[in-house]
Amino acid sequence: MPRKFLKRIMPDHAKMREHPHLQRFGARLTEPRLWHLNRRSVAGGLAIGLFLGVMPMIGQMVIAAALCIWLRVNLPIAVMAVWISNPFTFVPIFYTSYRLGAWILEIPPGSYRFNLSLEWFTGEFLLIWKPLLLGSFINGLLAALAGIIFVRLVWRLVVIRSWLQRLHRNRRGDKS
């Protein structure tokens, strides 16, 4: 079952509750549905994490935790999935999102140079924020949808495989 694999890779409940950014949610983190491993909960948590992971914002993990508490889906999966955007992947993710948004808005993509400064933020970022946000939103929706489909499909295949293995074992055991 996928549940066994997920239990191995998921962080400990106690560690998650003690995380400094998640402590602000207090007793709400003890809700059993936030930690339950079923197809719906895992798919929802993954969708939230992937959606927020491609959005250009600060505090993605805290927002993911709040949405999981509100929607009652798997919290650790969402918090882990947010890390799809990390120091190695955020440049291609945001570049792709910008290009998609510029294409949809029919804005010719410019050649911008990133420089973490107030001048860059007030100058060039103000030129790219609309296509970046639109592209990120669309990519986030696509990533969330792909995550839901992936979890539901893989979960179903693993369950069917488990049933077939059990059936095969039972038949083999009957003939002995």
Side-chain angles (χ1 to χ4, degrees), residues 40-61:
R40 180 197 164 278
S41 182
V42 171
L46 184 63
I48 288 171
L50 291 176
F51 178 79
L52 292 174
V54 299
M55 297 301 290
M57 65 175 66
I58 297 173
Q60 295 166 323
M61 289 192 328

Side-chain angles (χ1 to χ4, degrees), residues 54 100 148:
V54 299
L100 175 64
I148 290 170

Side-chain angles (χ1 to χ4, degrees), residues 13-76:
H13 295 89
K15 286 182 183 176
M16 289 288 288
R17 282 189 212 112
E18 293 169 5
H19 191 279
H21 297 297
L22 298 179
Q23 281 183 342
R24 66 185 72 179
F25 295 112
R28 292 185 183 124
L29 288 178
T30 60
E31 169 76 37
R33 287 187 277 186
L34 300 179
W35 307 96
H36 194 65
L37 292 171
N38 63 32
R39 188 173 55 221
R40 180 197 164 278
S41 182
V42 171
L46 184 63
I48 288 171
L50 291 176
F51 178 79
L52 292 174
V54 299
M55 297 301 290
M57 65 175 66
I58 297 173
Q60 295 166 323
M61 289 192 328
V62 175
I63 295 169
L67 285 173
C68 287
I69 290 169
W70 183 51
L71 297 172
R72 289 177 171 62
V73 295
N74 194 284
L75 176 80

